[in-house]
Amino acid sequence: VYRDNHEKYVLYRIIEENRTTIMKLTPAHLKLLLDVDIVNSQITRFIVGGESLKQTVAEQIYIKFGGKIHIYNEYGPTEATVGCIIYAFDESRSFGASVPIGRPVDNAQVYLLDEMMKPVIPGEKGELYIAGDSVAKGYLNNELLTAERFVPNLFGEGKMYKTGDIARFIDEDILEYICRSDDQIKVNGYRIEIGEIEDCIKKIAGIDEVVVKYTEQPNGNSVLCAFYSGAESIDKKRIRNNIKNYLPNYMIPVYFTYVGKFKLTSNGKIDRHALPETDMNCSNFTQNVDRRKENILTNIIKSILNLAEVSMNDNFYSIGGDSIKAIQMTSRLNEAGYKIKVKDILSADCLYEITELMENDEEDIYSIKHCSGQIKNTPMYSWFVDNKFDNPDYYVQVVYFELDKNVTAEIL
């Protein structure tokens, strides 16, 4: 047993003393070994768990050990005696940004169910339930939580544990972990999964780890913010443009913040509560902007979003914009002699980029202002008013048919 003596990190002591052949650790700890001298290491296998294992990290470790290493990605909550699903990393196969969690062990059964507790088809996302010998009886002195999380096994005997994790079968019976069900949030009416955004950003070369949060801004608006580690030279605009090819606009983070190194919790996971301040700085475009376009755009936005002031460096989402308000903007800009697509407004980094995409359209100006005045009653409306119904708010039209055949209720 290695204890922390505060002189040298325990992981480095294990490698240095070289008395271990099997090591169980988190992906964050595994990545630390990329900077360690492992010449003549006796380690033959790693059992990795606790959080998502990135495909590139597994590949780099495999190469560093000259291919003479076995890497097992393990999954399992404490309520199911920890390790109950496992995948042996295969360097010749890749399923995406993360290594799959694999198949259940012999004495465990897993089920992916929808909200109606029905099994989902292969490839579809579902909540992961675990049954079998390893499942605990419940929580000590907490009957309510036990009843909520340990539910009757619909497919066999005993109980099954409701993990709260979202997963899917990606290849025959190989499971891929996606995210926590409580990582699902609603953005502008759309239900999205934070983990899906994180995995998409992780696929970009040079990026190591990613955390996405739905954060409330000082102005009260909540937006998606991405924090990433890796090569500092990666341009934020490049990240945004890359993920636009795979994600809809409402899933694109508004702000991207570079993190030199993520802080870890005591058990080696990324500490999502110790993230730095969101980097909301943008390039100052005010020297190059078309002043006429700026005045028209800012006046329209202030009117639609009910704001006193806006800046060309503001992001449309961060100041309260959404798809409905973007539609209103296109109409108002048309009135002012400019045309622009809704998707261009939603995908722009800042208001300056919107002015760059505004095209002159003087010949196609039309008005959508409110009209007022008098019009003649239509025949139907005149008939309705002339009847003077007792309760006109509940008027309905009824049609009576007389059938010339004997129609029974069974036939109908």
Side-chain angles (χ1 to χ4, degrees):
V1 176
Y2 283 83
R3 300 188 183 279
D4 188 3
N5 62 10
H6 302 290
E7 292 181 4
K8 181 175 288 188
Y9 190 47
V10 64
L11 180 64
Y12 298 149
R13 287 169 52 209
I14 294 172
I15 297 298
E16 192 175 280
E17 294 180 13
N18 202 21
R19 294 188 293 176
T20 302
T21 56
I22 300 174
M23 188 182 295
K24 189 170 184 178
L25 69 178
T26 68
H29 288 135
L30 182 67
K31 188 180 175 186
L32 291 176
L33 299 183
L34 292 173
D35 300 320
V36 175
D37 182 6
I38 50 88
V39 176
N40 301 320
S41 173
Q42 294 191 71
I43 297 175
T44 59
R45 64 192 61 203
F46 290 113
I47 302 172
V48 188
E51 58 185 356
S52 177
L53 172 60
K54 194 176 178 185
Q55 175 77 18
T56 54
V57 172
E59 290 172 351
Q60 289 167 351
I61 290 292
Y62 184 83
I63 293 170
K64 188 175 181 71
F65 279 79
K68 298 177 181 179
I69 192 73
H70 297 283
I71 304 172
Y72 296 93
N73 193 26
E74 186 184 65
Y75 167 92
T78 303
E79 292 85 348
T81 323
V82 190
C84 58
I85 303 174
I86 197 162
Y87 177 79
F89 171 71
D90 182 351
E91 76 284 355
S92 67
R93 303 183 73 186
S94 176
F95 296 94
S98 299
V99 177
I101 56 176
R103 302 176 173 87
V105 296
D106 287 344
N107 62 348
Q109 300 85 48
V110 298
Y111 307 99
L112 293 185
L113 308 179
D114 61 18
E115 294 178 352
M116 303 299 293
M117 298 294 287
K118 301 294 183 183
V120 299
I121 62 174
E124 291 294 317
K125 302 170 189 174
E127 184 169 356
L128 181 59
Y129 289 75
I130 302 172
D133 298 338
S134 64
V135 175
K137 293 182 179 179
Y139 299 106
L140 184 64
N141 300 326
N142 196 333
E143 294 181 2
L144 285 177
L145 188 59
T146 295
E148 178 187 336
R149 308 301 289 191
F150 294 86
V151 299
N153 187 351
L154 304 177
F155 311 96
E157 299 179 354
K159 300 281 188 178
M160 56 183 184
Y161 174 64
K162 175 183 170 73
T163 67
D165 289 331
I166 304 298
R168 64 182 165 201
F169 286 106
I170 54 174
D171 182 52
E172 298 177 356
D173 56 347
I174 297 178
L175 274 169
E176 176 191 39
Y177 171 85
I178 298 174
C179 67
R180 290 285 303 165
S181 59
D182 47 24
D183 281 344
Q184 293 181 323
I185 60 172
K186 269 198 169 182
V187 176
N188 296 326
Y190 296 98
R191 185 173 294 280
I192 67 172
E193 290 162 353
I194 294 291
E196 192 172 345
I197 304 173
E198 292 174 345
D199 282 345
C200 188
I201 299 175
K202 284 179 184 177
K203 292 177 182 177
I204 300 173
I207 289 182
D208 293 333
E209 297 294 341
V210 178
V211 172
V212 174
K213 291 188 70 175
Y214 193 49
T215 307
E216 184 174 339
Q217 304 298 294
N219 61 9
N221 297 314
S222 293
V223 295
L224 289 168
C225 301
F227 302 82
Y228 66 96
S229 64
E232 189 174 4
S233 59
I234 296 178
D235 183 49
K236 297 175 183 179
K237 192 173 184 65
R238 177 192 153 200
I239 299 174
R240 182 187 296 274
N241 290 338
N242 185 291
I243 62 176
K244 280 179 185 177
N245 297 321
Y246 308 99
L247 299 175
N249 287 322
Y250 57 84
M251 291 180 70
I252 306 295
V254 170
Y255 299 114
F256 293 84
T257 302
Y258 174 76
V259 181
K261 189 176 183 180
F262 283 106
K263 293 182 179 179
L264 303 179
T265 61
S266 58
N267 58 358
K269 298 181 181 181
I270 292 176
D271 190 344
R272 291 174 176 261
H273 300 291
L275 297 171
E277 290 292 319
T278 302
D279 180 7
M280 294 186 287
N281 294 325
C282 298
S283 301
N284 192 330
F285 295 110
T286 55
Q287 299 301 317
N288 304 316
V289 69
D290 183 315
R291 295 303 175 189
R292 182 173 184 273
K293 287 183 178 181
E294 177 186 6
N295 292 334
I296 290 173
L297 180 64
T298 53
N299 287 334
I300 289 174
I301 289 178
K302 286 191 287 186
S303 172
I304 292 175
L305 301 183
N306 194 25
L307 298 173
E309 294 295 332
V310 293
S311 163
M312 285 290 97
N313 298 304
D314 287 336
N315 176 277
F316 180 62
Y317 280 116
S318 72
I319 57 177
D322 57 36
S323 56
I324 301 300
K325 293 181 174 68
I327 293 172
Q328 291 178 282
M329 278 180 58
T330 60
S331 297
R332 298 277 186 91
L333 287 169
N334 264 298
E335 285 186 4
Y338 293 98
K339 62 180 180 180
I340 187 172
K341 296 176 181 177
V342 171
K343 70 178 185 66
D344 290 335
I345 294 175
L346 297 175
S347 62
D349 286 349
C350 56
L351 301 189
Y352 167 77
E353 284 197 6
I354 295 178
T355 64
E356 290 286 284
L357 296 167
M358 289 164 52
E359 298 178 3
N360 288 315
D361 193 27
E362 299 286 356
E363 297 180 359
D364 191 28
I365 298 177
Y366 63 92
S367 176
I368 57 167
K369 293 179 180 177
H370 293 290
C371 298
S372 61
Q374 294 184 346
I375 59 171
K376 288 185 177 181
N377 292 341
T378 64
M380 184 64 188
Y381 183 74
S382 297
W383 173 86
F384 181 81
V385 173
D386 291 343
N387 271 280
K388 298 180 179 177
F389 296 108
D390 291 336
N391 196 349
D393 292 338
Y394 291 90
Y395 169 76
V396 295
Q397 287 184 318
V398 178
V399 179
Y400 176 78
F401 292 98
E402 188 171 319
L403 303 175
D404 59 357
K405 293 183 179 180
N406 185 21
V407 179
T408 64
E410 288 76 13
I411 293 175
L412 293 174

